[in-house]
Amino acid sequence: QVQLVESGGGLVQAGDSLRLSCAASERTFTSTAVGWFRQAPGKQREFVAAIRWSTGITVYGNPVKGRFTISRDNAKNTVYLQMNSLKPEDTAVYHCASARTLATMTYEYDYWGQGTQVTVSS
């Protein structure tokens, strides 16, 4: 079972930057890729970005393209989400999750972290 732990959330102002980290317990065939999702109160969980461990290939959700960057450090089994030009609508709990393929749908992910809160004030 893959364990994932997020960190780096907090309260920032609009226009600020924040970097989230997702530490994974392992990288195996069950954890080929790591994705970030977010969920705001009363809304469905939304895909943010994902990265493949081996190649570094990435995919982004439309609301964050050009502002967020996902990266990985294979030596540390850690995936990062650099968030720039934050907006109040980015406020949500951010979760990382692992999947067997580079995916954008929640049902494709097998293991999830507990999440970290990001709050952007206007």
Side-chain angles (χ1 to χ4, degrees), residues 54-78:
S54 58
T55 61
I57 293 175
T58 60
V59 60
Y60 293 92
N62 286 334
V64 306
K65 282 181 180 178
R67 298 189 298 125
F68 291 12
T69 302
I70 189 170
S71 61
R72 92 282 193 219
D73 185 332
N74 287 13
K76 296 182 179 179
N77 283 2
T78 300

Side-chain angles (χ1 to χ4, degrees), residues 19-30:
R19 190 177 80 158
L20 305 183
S21 298
C22 173
S25 60
E26 61 181 84
R27 290 185 292 115
T28 67
F29 70 93
T30 61

Side-chain angles (χ1 to χ4, degrees), residues 2 6-7 13 19 31 33 35 37 52 55 61 63 68 70 74 77 80 82 89 92 97 115 120-121:
V2 179
E6 305 96 336
S7 62
Q13 293 186 333
R19 190 177 80 158
S31 179
F37 290 78
R52 192 176 180 91
T55 61
F68 291 12
I70 189 170
N74 287 13
N77 283 2
Y80 303 99
Q82 178 67 43
E89 50 263 46
V120 184
S121 64

Side-chain angles (χ1 to χ4, degrees), residues 91-112:
T91 294
V93 176
Y94 284 71
H95 298 267
C96 66
S98 67
R100 297 169 186 257
T101 185
L102 191 62
T104 63
M105 306 299 289
T106 57
Y107 68 82
E108 296 177 285
Y109 285 80
D110 301 309
Y111 301 103
W112 293 79

